[in-house]
Amino acid sequence: MAASCDSLLPLILLLCLSAQAVDRSNFKTCDQSAFCKHQRELKPGQSPYRALLDTLELSDSRLTLQLINDNNKVRLLLELYRLQGNMTRVKINELKPLKPRYEVPDVLISDPITEALSVVAQDENSLVLSLGGKDQRLIVSAQPFRLDIVEGPQVLMSLNSRGLLAFEHLRARKDTASHTGKEEDKPGMWEETFKSHTDSKPNGPSSISLDFSLPGVEHVYGIPEHADTLKLKNTDGSDPYRLYNLDVFQYELHNPMALYGAVPVLISHSTDRTMGIFWLNAAETWVDISSNTAGKVRVIPQTDVRWISESGLIDVFIMLGPKPADVFTQYASLTGTQSFPPLSALAYHQCRWNYNDQEDVKTVDQGFDEHDIPYDFIWLDIEHADGKRYFTWDPSNFPQPKEMLQGLMDKRRKLVAIVDPHIRVDSGYKIHNEIRSKNFYVKNKDGGDYEGWCWPGNSGYPDFTNPEMRAWWASQFAYDQYEGSMENQYIWNDMNEPSVFNGPEVTMHKDALHGVWEHRDVHNLYGLYVQKATADGLILRSGGVQRPFVLTRAFFAGSQRYGAVWTGDNAAEWGHLKISIPMCLSLGLVGISFCGADVGGFFKHPSAELLVRWYQVGAYQPFFRAHAHIDTPRREPWLFGPENTALIREAIRQRYALLPYWYQLFYNTHRTGQPVMRPLWVEYPDDVATFSIEDEYLIGKDLLVHPVTDEGATGVTAYLPGKGEVMCFSTLNGFLSLPSLKYFLWVSHIPVFQRGGSIICRKDRVRRSSSCMENDPYTLYVAPSSQGSAEGELYIDDFHTFSFEVAKQFVHRHLSFSANTLSSRNLAPDSQFSTASWIEKIVIFGGSQPSSVTLKNADGTESALEFEFGSTLAVLTLRKPGVNAAADWTVVLR
Amino acid sequence: MTCVHLLLTLVFAVSLGTPVEIQRPRGVPLTKKQFYVENKPFTCLDGSRAIPFDRVNDDYCDCKDGSDEPGTAACPNGSFHCTNAGYRPMFIPSSRINDGICDCCDTTDEYNSGAKCENTCKELGRKEREVLQKMAEITKEGFLLKQHLIEEAKKGQQEKKSKVTDMQGNKKQLDEKVEVLRTVKETAEQPEKEAKERHLKAWEEQKAAIRLEKDKAKMAEAFLFLTDDEDGLLSLCISVSVSELQSHAELDADADGTLTETEAQGLMGGAEQVDTSTFESVWPNIKDKYHSESQPEEPAPVETPPDEVKEPVVVNDSEPYPEDDISEEEDEDDEDEDDYHEDDDKAPPTIKAPEKSHEDEEAMPPYDADTQALIDAAQKARDDFEEAEKALREMDDQIRNIEKELSFDFGPDAEFTYLYSQCYELTTSEYIYRLCPFNRISQKPKYGGSETNLGTWGSWSGPENNKYLLMKYEHGTGCWQGPNRSTTVKLTCGKETVVTSTSEPSRCEYLMEFTTPAVCQEPANTDLSPHDHEEL
């Protein structure tokens, strides 16, 4: 939920009553943010910075060099690293800062592995470094200072080529110390006020900025979270994209305003190369994009990107690709990959603010069975806790939480309860008392415990940047600490931007203190830490056995390691349904694959048509959860008449049937960092027509989805990429082969296509929860390419523990079809796992009728398989091979 | 009826017991056993194809209708039959076979999942019989009560109908009486009016002479005050300018609160300045409104505040719940009337007061004896007429109320009549809920705070076959960003008339459960009450 209204908060209520959409005046524009305004006033031109080549120091893998600003003589220290996997790290800090500047911890999974850097040439104004393979060079120009990364004759990327490097050095306040600098004070440098809030800025100005030029690039993506197009827009005439985790009430579409999370990673793509820029800074950040091709024709395209942050230092990772998959691998090597969720987390989630009481939970649970709709998780929002004291239960509505959880467990289902980071200031509340006595709260600028208003009223905010605090927090999820909790209860962290109803921009004051650091320095990291500590807690409570599942609203680079994110408080509007696609695609590009939007829309009441369409979209997005605001009418799937119930049931069942594919993709992303939900250009990087597509996407590389997101639509026009690739339209019932690029009309079904050349494993026996389907058999859907071949994978494990990782207990099979022979081969010979699942059926499209089909088992035995051939659609169905899913086998068509 | 049949079959099933297990494929009900003949090809029940019998329940779906896999989860649309000896047999979707969850009380659905299920059929059967028995007792007693309710309602209805007829007869007489008294009143008022006018005219003439004198004096004073900047100058040089006149906002013609320059000029006949001689022509334009600065401001604004205070009170009483007035009118009629008159009396004095204060000094002389006599006579006629008219109005109201009550749909046999003008309360941990059937539902915080309207009577809204099972109350107090509150009342058979629970399943949509004998169905069974047989 957003900071909407609550009867406890008359002040907020007033504010909300007038707000139909976002109240923009609550949030800063660049002009209202002093550092952004000052930085943006600086226009491209000659950089005042000069590299002092005689200060060069080069160790094996690290090069340092001083830079001097000729205007004020302040020196900076430049560090350059060549990193394993075709990356370059550029760090710039003050040579002698007045006090240390914040360097973001806990985001990189380890110290990146460096590779040897060598100087290959040098003259009085430049230095050429070898970046290894493929004649890649890094050229350092001394005056004006700039960096160019080149490959052969081609410039891949330039830094400070527009002279926008700007580093506000720390300085003493004029009135307090003898200050030698000549810089004049600008308004907002030592204090700034927004609305009624004053930021005391005790450290004065500290912002940083750097520009990057990308010759040959017209398409850049990433830097979520924004409710905007997949392809980033030129920001010349507007505000820059803003990265500052905020609780935005009723957010607007198509603008660069900041939202709940921030991942400062930008991906560029052209037919030549895919690259990435990771700007590792957790302070308020603005990103300007300008393109020389906007409105022009026949120029050599170039995109310029400028990053501006309020504090910290410049620490940039340049990922040089060259292919999309390489950039994902490179970024994953820095910040880690998506956590591998328990299978049930990939199934359907039923949420509402709020399920009123245990009886309500029971009734809804029964409703799903009565209407034969599967679901795995039911969710409880803030009302479940006793007076919004998280880790407790409302005594009158949830007096017997274990009884409720046991009831769900008997149905092999689970529950998520919300635990937000704002802690009710209440001397009768154990959690508060402990945090206070352990001195774990964030402090205000005067050193007292920081307090702000949130759902419970006056609240404290634990300092999640403190590892001791996080360890304590994690310990609170132990079954003997969190009373009423059980192993089928998981956690949801909301409001962790953090949301402070009466704070500046509905968040924490920047001069609040986390130990020695200001909130200003750590702001965008706070949400990541909350989710990390919570996920750690869930792992701990199970003795390290069970995989956790934690949903978060705020996030940062690296958040993928801790669970799922959702796109926050959207609305029941067609535009919001549509924007869920680019929003989740953008997150997937920067590592966060487990993304979803509230199905149905959080605010407002969806029409039956919108709700059905949203289920059809949500079923094909990674995190699939319906959610609704407390003031909206009930909208469980069976409340919109039997026809709509049937359509929703069908959408959810498709999700369940495809769970083996989703699961395998999540295993894959956990291993490799390749996104689950992908823009088309990721798989078709040479097809320019795909570069701006955001109304259709791929799941993995084998399923193409073009959901219906328009009211009253009777069809969609799907772009089918790939030359001569066969695409199979897929529903649970029928398949149809189509050539590439075809107008396609469909009324009530979900336009999903299987790529020619792929094999997808499904479990077509849909049951009431994913756990009930654990041992069910698989059906293989084989869609051969135009050459008659296809391949796919099958991954199986216990679906919920870390055994796959710590004990290699899993099955990973490679399935391949060519020359009329389909076989299953072990991809991980050193793994072991026994499964009860077997192969129930094999469906092969687009072939001809065989005269016989033979199954060859690993032990050499052979048997004939019965088959059916549907000539209209050329579908061959092999009856009951019956082999175990973990076994080696071959099927030959003759 | 169904309940009893069920009981019988249960008894039958129990007595046959488990030893007699009829051989048939797993999951097939007895009624379909004939289609599954061992060692003969099985034809899908939809007739679509025939398969060897060993493919029945072989965990692969061959029939589109799922009929070849009654005992496995292979078909997406299959169903599994559990006998549930001791309880009632049922079908479950075949997706629930061997899913690790015990669905059939006889445990037959989990034969291969490792789930540890216990046979609970006997226990369930026993409990169900108990419940059914209890229900049957309640229904029986409730139905008897319902008969009384119907009788009383019919009697009451009859009475009310005849009362209306009587009253309509009386009303006719009253109508005539009112007409007669109106004529008497009008006859008496004509001479009264003439006498009063005579008296007034004489007095007006006398007053006009006095006023002329005063006016002259006032003009002179006004001219001096308006020329405030020129104090001390000789009268010949004295003039009044437009701007000076503008400082007197009370002269504002369009009452917008300011006297514009144009307006001021208009008052001064277009001139920028006037002197004493020309001021005489200006004076008539301004004298009615002119406030001398030496005089205190008239208390004119006083007349608005009392209205502002009063209005919301009045609105609150009537507007949100218009139905209230009607039901309560009978008791409060007199009071209402009194209130109304009080308002009438009070309002005019506040408006007239300033005028009176002017004219107090020159009060009208008392009427002469003849005039007074005429007035008294007319007043008596007026009083008589008004009294008769009031009686007529009251009667009209009474008739209307009864007719309204008679117009409600109190059920096929008027069995819900007794709920009319009653209220039933339920106290929860936080609130007191109050259901006044056919009127409104409200919620009041237990520990102080104002009442919230959860809806006023809308309609019966049960399913088509029995709409009297649900009541809908609508248009309650509005919700933030949401609908107006509304409540559905679910009626179940009970001996008592009580609200048993309330909940708010969706924001601002309430659900109330209410028991009443009025919905108890006739216990059609003769088996449970053998006495009936004997009587027959």
Side-chain angles (χ1 to χ4, degrees):
Chain A
M1 299 143 297
S4 66
C5 300
D6 195 273
S7 51
L8 281 170
L9 301 164
L11 187 137
I12 301 296
L13 185 73
L14 273 177
L15 193 144
C16 297
L17 281 172
S18 59
Q20 277 308 306
V22 67
D23 185 353
R24 286 189 186 219
S25 71
N26 278 341
F27 303 102
K28 289 182 184 178
T29 60
C30 177
D31 264 357
Q32 290 166 318
S33 184
F35 78 92
C36 185
K37 183 173 193 285
H38 297 159
Q39 288 277 12
R40 226 184 178 207
E41 278 163 1
L42 182 65
K43 296 297 173 201
Q46 172 132 342
S47 176
Y49 286 97
R50 177 159 56 90
L52 305 170
L53 294 184
D54 54 348
T55 62
L56 172 75
E57 281 179 41
L58 179 64
S59 70
D60 205 24
S61 59
R62 174 176 186 257
L63 178 148
T64 61
L65 199 59
Q66 291 180 20
L67 307 178
I68 188 163
N69 181 337
D70 279 328
N71 292 341
N72 61 11
K73 304 298 174 208
V74 174
R75 288 192 182 202
L76 305 179
L77 183 70
L78 167 74
E79 292 173 76
L80 294 173
Y81 301 87
R82 180 183 153 209
L83 302 184
Q84 196 180 64
N86 206 14
M87 290 181 283
T88 301
R89 183 181 193 175
V90 178
K91 256 175 111 165
I92 303 175
N93 195 354
E94 289 180 56
L95 182 64
K96 288 175 183 162
L98 206 59
K99 57 198 272 192
R101 296 179 66 113
Y102 188 69
E103 193 164 348
V104 178
D106 301 318
V107 167
L108 301 178
I109 46 172
S110 57
D111 278 340
I113 301 168
T114 54
E115 288 187 337
L117 260 181
S118 57
V119 177
V120 292
Q122 184 171 6
D123 60 27
E124 72 240 26
N125 194 45
S126 67
L127 188 65
V128 182
L129 302 162
S130 167
L131 292 175
K134 276 192 118 189
D135 51 56
Q136 281 182 357
R137 302 272 188 272
L138 173 59
I139 302 166
V140 182
S141 306
Q143 190 171 22
F145 166 69
R146 68 181 269 171
L147 298 173
D148 293 278
I149 297 171
V150 301
E151 184 177 273
Q154 201 190 347
V155 179
L156 303 180
M157 190 185 297
S158 307
L159 283 66
N160 199 32
S161 54
R162 292 190 298 149
L164 296 171
L165 168 62
F167 208 108
E168 289 184 313
H169 59 280
L170 298 178
R171 61 203 82 182
R173 226 178 238 274
K174 263 185 187 168
D175 49 0
T176 55
S178 55
H179 178 60
T180 48
K182 282 172 262 169
E183 299 91 359
E184 51 178 315
D185 275 0
K186 291 179 186 151
M189 274 169 81
W190 292 97
E191 185 179 278
E192 73 178 284
T193 298
F194 177 67
K195 301 191 94 172
S196 60
H197 301 283
T198 297
D199 175 2
S200 66
K201 296 182 98 166
N203 297 319
S206 59
S207 72
I208 53 171
S209 159
L210 183 60
D211 64 277
F212 301 77
S213 292
L214 300 158
V217 169
E218 284 183 275
H219 294 83
V220 288
Y221 309 92
I223 54 168
E225 180 178 40
H226 300 100
D228 209 346
T229 49
L230 173 64
K231 175 189 183 302
L232 298 174
K233 290 174 185 153
N234 194 322
T235 59
D236 284 343
S238 70
D239 256 16
Y241 284 99
R242 188 182 190 205
L243 294 172
Y244 191 58
N245 295 355
L246 291 175
D247 178 0
V248 181
F249 180 71
Q250 296 191 340
Y251 63 77
E252 240 176 60
L253 306 184
H254 296 296
N255 73 44
M257 285 173 74
L259 287 180
Y260 313 94
V263 184
V265 176
L266 180 133
I267 310 275
S268 74
H269 177 70
S270 71
T271 50
D272 292 338
R273 183 178 282 270
T274 309
M275 294 186 291
I277 299 170
F278 172 27
W279 175 268
L280 180 50
N281 189 299
E284 180 184 344
T285 296
W286 299 79
V287 186
D288 256 321
I289 313 278
S290 55
S291 144
N292 65 341
T293 48
K296 293 176 202 158
V297 283
R298 305 190 66 175
V299 289
I300 301 163
Q302 173 166 319
T303 297
D304 296 313
V305 181
R306 182 191 187 191
W307 299 76
I308 304 168
S309 289
E310 187 176 12
S311 67
L313 39 89
I314 294 175
D315 191 1
V316 193
F317 297 82
I318 295 160
M319 300 170 279
L320 292 170
K323 292 287 159 213
D326 299 323
V327 174
F328 304 138
T329 306
Q330 287 154 3
Y331 181 63
S333 75
L334 298 172
T335 65
T337 60
Q338 180 67 54
S339 62
F340 188 29
L343 173 69
S344 50
L346 296 176
Y348 173 64
H349 300 259
Q350 181 66 35
C351 187
R352 170 173 186 83
W353 176 23
N354 214 90
Y355 285 118
N356 299 332
D357 49 31
Q358 286 179 223
E359 194 55 36
D360 199 0
V361 168
K362 201 171 172 182
T363 309
V364 172
D365 178 73
Q366 282 167 354
F368 277 92
D369 288 343
E370 277 157 27
H371 298 91
D372 204 13
I373 300 172
Y375 90 96
D376 271 55
F377 277 89
I378 189 162
W379 292 53
L380 295 179
D381 210 322
I382 53 173
E383 313 297 333
H384 86 277
D386 180 12
K388 278 96 177 175
R389 294 173 190 88
Y390 308 108
F391 300 100
T392 72
W393 304 86
D394 182 288
S396 59
N397 294 325
F398 296 91
Q400 302 293 339
K402 282 196 176 176
E403 198 179 291
M404 171 179 66
L405 285 160
Q406 187 60 52
L408 291 168
M409 196 180 281
D410 291 345
K411 296 266 196 80
R412 307 186 75 174
R413 286 173 177 148
K414 303 172 169 71
L415 178 138
V416 168
I418 200 165
V419 173
D420 286 351
H422 49 258
I423 301 299
R424 180 167 171 154
V425 173
D426 169 2
S427 59
Y429 178 27
K430 185 188 96 173
I431 297 282
H432 163 73
N433 288 338
E434 286 204 35
I435 297 174
R436 174 161 282 184
S437 69
K438 290 176 192 297
N439 204 25
F440 280 159
Y441 276 124
V442 173
K443 303 285 180 259
N444 60 36
K445 66 178 164 54
D446 304 314
D449 283 350
Y450 179 90
E451 286 180 2
W453 279 82
C454 210
W455 296 123
N458 199 27
S459 305
Y461 292 79
D463 183 4
F464 282 90
T465 69
N466 176 353
E468 285 171 44
M469 154 59 207
R470 292 201 300 275
W472 175 83
W473 178 268
S475 73
Q476 295 307 301
F477 292 92
Y479 298 120
D480 58 351
Q481 292 292 321
Y482 190 163
E483 276 176 42
S485 69
M486 277 174 51
E487 58 268 33
N488 64 333
Q489 181 194 331
Y490 295 78
I491 302 297
W492 167 21
N493 295 144
D494 196 356
M495 316 297 282
N496 52 339
E497 294 75 23
S499 177
V500 181
F501 292 166
N502 58 342
E505 302 192 85
V506 202
T507 191
M508 192 172 277
H509 292 72
K510 283 178 171 170
D511 52 12
L513 292 167
H514 301 251
V516 300
W517 301 109
E518 280 191 288
H519 184 68
R520 180 185 337 276
D521 299 312
V522 306
H523 176 85
N524 284 347
L525 258 184
Y526 190 84
L528 175 145
Y529 277 132
V530 174
Q531 192 190 18
K532 173 180 161 57
T534 305
D536 286 348
L538 295 194
I539 296 171
L540 266 178
R541 72 171 188 184
S542 75
V545 172
Q546 303 289 338
R547 285 180 243 161
F549 169 62
V550 180
L551 177 73
T552 181
R553 192 171 69 183
F555 52 82
F556 189 66
S559 284
Q560 67 269 20
R561 306 193 295 262
Y562 309 113
V565 307
W566 94 107
T567 61
D569 299 345
N570 60 359
E573 291 167 5
W574 290 91
H576 276 270
L577 169 60
K578 214 182 264 282
I579 207 85
S580 70
I581 300 170
M583 286 180 83
C584 280
L585 285 174
S586 298
L587 280 163
L589 288 175
V590 299
I592 300 178
S593 266
F594 205 178
C595 167
D598 285 346
V599 169
F602 178 66
F603 292 113
K604 304 187 178 172
H605 186 51
S607 65
E609 185 192 4
L610 176 57
L611 186 69
V612 167
R613 290 303 189 195
W614 212 315
Y615 270 99
Q616 294 179 339
V617 176
Y620 288 90
Q621 288 178 355
F623 177 56
F624 182 24
R625 181 187 74 153
H627 187 30
H629 190 276
I630 195 167
D631 287 329
T632 60
R634 293 292 278 246
R635 56 166 100 133
E636 284 70 43
W638 49 87
L639 296 176
F640 293 78
E643 275 177 34
N644 293 311
T645 304
L647 289 170
I648 294 171
R649 180 193 296 122
E650 171 63 16
I652 298 178
R653 283 187 174 180
Q654 288 190 25
R655 171 58 164 240
Y656 276 74
L658 275 168
L659 280 175
Y661 182 64
W662 284 103
Y663 196 58
Q664 174 236 316
L665 287 174
F666 268 85
Y667 177 68
N668 178 63
T669 191
H670 175 67
R671 293 287 302 277
T672 67
Q674 303 303 306
V676 168
M677 189 173 160
R678 302 173 188 170
L680 265 57
W681 60 260
V682 167
E683 292 299 327
Y684 301 91
D686 300 326
D687 183 352
V688 181
T690 65
F691 291 5
S692 298
I693 290 180
E694 61 173 32
D695 57 357
E696 68 182 62
Y697 56 92
L698 293 160
I699 300 168
K701 62 180 174 15
D702 296 336
L703 279 189
L704 182 144
V705 189
H706 187 127
V708 180
T709 56
D710 287 309
E711 185 169 18
T714 54
V716 296
T717 304
Y719 179 75
L720 304 182
K723 292 188 185 96
E725 234 169 44
V726 181
M727 282 288 185
C728 294
F729 178 75
S730 109
T731 69
L732 282 182
N733 309 315
F735 285 78
L736 184 66
S737 291
L738 293 167
S740 292
L741 190 58
K742 176 141 183 164
Y743 291 92
F744 189 78
L745 293 173
W746 201 255
V747 185
S748 60
H749 285 90
I750 314 173
V752 179
F753 304 83
Q754 181 177 347
R755 190 179 60 83
S758 68
I759 300 172
I760 287 181
C761 302
R762 301 208 307 212
K763 281 190 176 177
D764 284 342
R765 301 184 180 187
V766 173
R767 299 185 186 256
R768 66 187 129 190
S769 76
S770 69
S771 303
C772 295
M773 295 163 66
E774 276 174 10
N775 296 320
D776 279 340
Y778 292 91
T779 295
L780 274 43
Y781 290 85
V782 183
S785 66
S786 42
Q787 287 79 41
S789 61
E791 51 181 12
E793 288 177 24
L794 174 60
Y795 176 84
I796 306 170
D797 62 14
D798 64 20
F799 302 117
H800 58 94
T801 74
F802 284 108
S803 298
F804 78 99
E805 210 159 54
V806 296
K808 292 213 160 257
Q809 292 192 355
F810 62 88
V811 172
H812 196 186
R813 309 292 304 178
H814 183 258
L815 304 161
S816 66
F817 179 73
S818 68
N820 284 330
T821 302
L822 174 65
S823 60
S824 170
R825 179 172 61 81
N826 196 350
L827 268 177
D830 57 342
S831 70
Q832 50 172 340
F833 185 72
S834 61
T835 173
S837 292
W838 46 285
I839 310 298
E840 158 172 51
K841 196 194 283 188
I842 296 168
V843 182
I844 302 169
F845 307 108
S848 51
Q849 182 161 15
S851 56
S852 72
V853 179
T854 312
L855 168 72
K856 297 180 181 175
N857 290 300
D859 60 5
T861 56
E862 291 190 11
S863 55
L865 289 186
E866 215 176 287
F867 60 87
E868 271 180 72
F869 186 74
S871 50
T872 5
L873 298 175
V875 178
L876 175 67
T877 305
L878 311 185
R879 187 186 192 277
K880 209 180 178 189
V883 286
N884 187 278
D888 288 337
W889 52 266
T890 303
V891 166
V892 182
L893 315 179
R894 285 198 182 86
Chain B
M1 178 131 56
T2 41
C3 301
V4 177
H5 272 291
L6 188 71
L7 273 176
L8 275 179
T9 42
L10 280 176
V11 172
F12 181 67
V14 169
S15 64
L16 282 178
T18 30
V20 196
E21 182 65 47
I22 302 150
Q23 284 302 310
R24 56 184 194 264
R26 201 193 292 272
V28 174
L30 257 181
T31 50
K32 287 188 179 155
K33 180 191 174 280
Q34 50 185 328
F35 302 114
Y36 298 82
V37 184
E38 199 138 7
N39 300 323
K40 283 195 180 164
F42 170 74
T43 306
C44 304
L45 296 186
D46 63 1
S48 57
R49 65 189 290 194
I51 53 168
F53 192 78
D54 62 6
R55 293 198 174 168
V56 171
N57 279 345
D58 73 337
D59 209 8
Y60 186 89
C61 191
D62 292 290
C63 296
K64 276 187 180 148
D65 65 354
S67 56
D68 64 317
E69 297 295 317
T72 79
C75 293
N77 50 349
S79 60
F80 175 86
H81 182 264
C82 0
T83 311
N84 289 346
Y87 188 52
R88 46 177 135 157
M90 66 176 189
F91 286 96
I92 58 166
S94 53
S95 66
R96 293 178 194 174
I97 301 168
N98 289 328
D99 67 349
I101 300 163
C102 310
D103 290 286
C104 298
C105 63
D106 65 3
T107 76
T108 51
D109 60 318
E110 296 300 313
Y111 58 86
N112 194 24
S113 69
K116 289 177 197 135
C117 301
E118 275 176 43
N119 190 322
T120 55
C121 292
K122 275 188 185 164
E123 181 60 17
L124 285 172
R126 191 181 59 75
K127 276 189 189 158
E128 189 184 56
R129 279 191 296 279
E130 273 175 27
V131 170
L132 286 176
Q133 195 143 7
K134 206 174 262 175
M135 287 268 292
E137 278 163 28
I138 291 172
T139 309
K140 193 180 152 201
E141 286 183 46
F143 188 69
L144 277 178
L145 288 170
K146 182 179 172 181
Q147 299 314 307
H148 289 294
L149 292 176
I150 291 171
E151 259 172 54
E152 270 175 41
K154 291 211 163 132
K155 218 187 285 167
Q157 241 175 19
Q158 218 47 55
E159 277 168 19
K160 277 176 186 133
K161 273 183 190 157
S162 60
K163 193 175 173 194
V164 168
T165 320
D166 288 354
M167 284 168 84
Q168 268 157 349
N170 292 342
K171 192 193 153 204
K172 225 175 199 172
Q173 292 174 3
L174 250 179
D175 267 337
E176 284 161 14
K177 187 178 168 193
V178 166
E179 282 319 303
V180 170
L181 287 172
R182 188 196 304 280
T183 319
V184 172
K185 179 186 89 142
E186 279 163 6
T187 320
E189 277 174 340
Q190 189 55 37
E192 177 204 30
K193 191 181 162 207
E194 286 164 11
K196 271 175 145 180
E197 275 170 6
R198 271 196 307 277
H199 181 81
L200 193 67
K201 200 179 166 201
W203 177 58
E204 285 289 337
E205 281 163 8
Q206 189 189 347
K207 235 172 28 177
I210 300 166
R211 202 177 284 160
L212 197 67
E213 285 305 306
K214 283 196 171 179
D215 197 31
K216 272 185 182 163
K218 200 172 174 188
M219 182 183 81
E221 179 205 39
F223 190 73
L224 278 171
F225 272 108
L226 282 168
T227 56
D228 51 359
D229 56 334
E230 304 281 77
D231 264 358
L233 289 187
L234 285 175
S235 64
L236 273 178
C237 310
I238 293 170
S239 59
V240 175
S241 71
V242 169
S243 60
E244 282 162 343
L245 208 55
Q246 270 180 270
S247 71
H248 284 257
E250 74 273 12
L251 300 178
D252 177 22
D254 57 6
D256 63 357
T258 54
L259 187 64
T260 64
E261 198 173 316
T262 335
E263 279 167 357
Q265 269 180 12
L267 290 173
M268 290 178 42
E272 279 291 333
Q273 285 203 340
V274 289
D275 58 19
T276 15
S277 55
T278 45
F279 189 65
E280 275 178 47
S281 60
V282 175
W283 177 242
N285 291 338
I286 65 171
K287 67 174 177 184
D288 287 343
K289 290 179 177 173
Y290 177 78
H291 295 167
S292 161
E293 278 156 28
S294 58
Q295 262 181 297
E297 281 270 312
E298 281 180 21
V302 177
E303 64 187 83
T304 37
D307 277 355
E308 279 172 10
V309 174
K310 231 175 221 167
E311 256 176 81
V313 178
V314 173
V315 169
N316 270 4
D317 274 353
S318 59
E319 275 188 19
Y321 325 124
E323 307 288 86
D324 275 5
D325 290 352
I326 293 154
S327 64
E328 287 163 17
E329 234 164 10
E330 271 180 296
D331 317 50
E332 295 175 10
D333 228 3
D334 290 359
E335 264 176 50
D336 282 357
E337 293 272 299
D338 285 351
D339 282 351
Y340 184 69
H341 283 298
E342 258 171 42
D343 284 354
D344 251 1
D345 291 345
K346 269 180 200 161
T350 47
I351 294 165
K352 282 174 196 155
E355 282 177 47
K356 269 186 188 163
S357 72
H358 267 296
E359 294 170 16
D360 266 350
E361 12 180 327
E362 25 187 306
M364 184 169 72
Y367 294 116
D368 57 81
D370 286 351
T371 311
Q372 192 58 49
L374 285 170
I375 291 172
D376 290 347
Q379 189 57 45
K380 165 105 182 26
R382 268 195 295 273
D383 290 347
D384 290 349
F385 167 72
E386 271 161 22
E387 199 183 320
E389 211 183 27
K390 187 178 154 193
L392 177 63
R393 256 200 323 267
E394 279 167 12
M395 183 159 288
D396 265 341
D397 286 346
Q398 280 175 28
I399 293 172
R400 223 179 307 124
N401 283 340
I402 297 171
E403 279 175 343
K404 184 184 154 81
E405 188 181 337
L406 287 171
S407 75
F408 272 103
D409 178 357
F410 288 131
D413 296 309
E415 63 268 42
F416 297 100
T417 311
Y418 81 108
L419 298 173
Y420 189 73
S421 73
Q422 300 294 314
C423 291
Y424 303 88
E425 284 189 353
L426 177 75
T427 306
T428 66
S429 55
E430 266 184 277
Y431 298 105
I432 299 165
Y433 292 88
R434 192 175 156 89
L435 163 67
C436 304
F438 305 102
N439 184 4
R440 65 189 286 256
I441 302 180
S442 63
Q443 176 201 52
K444 202 179 156 105
K446 216 163 151 186
Y447 307 106
S450 59
E451 193 183 84
T452 307
N453 180 359
L454 302 188
T456 49
W457 168 247
S459 59
W460 292 105
S461 60
E464 262 176 52
N465 58 357
N466 190 358
K467 66 172 177 169
Y468 300 102
L469 290 178
L470 292 178
M471 287 172 153
K472 188 88 189 159
Y473 291 79
E474 300 157 315
H475 309 300
T477 314
C479 278
W480 179 75
Q481 274 207 345
N484 284 6
R485 286 174 177 77
S486 64
T487 305
T488 301
V489 179
K490 201 174 139 192
L491 287 77
T492 49
C493 165
K495 287 185 274 183
E496 320 250 298
T497 304
V498 273
V499 177
T500 54
S501 77
T502 60
S503 57
E504 189 184 356
S506 194
R507 190 68 144 193
C508 305
E509 289 175 18
Y510 295 80
L511 178 68
M512 191 171 257
E513 301 202 39
F514 185 57
T515 64
T516 161
V519 291
C520 294
Q521 294 294 316
E522 182 167 14
N525 67 84
T526 42
D527 311 82
L528 270 181
S529 44
H531 301 291
D532 289 354
H533 273 293
E534 284 170 12
E535 277 167 28
L536 282 171

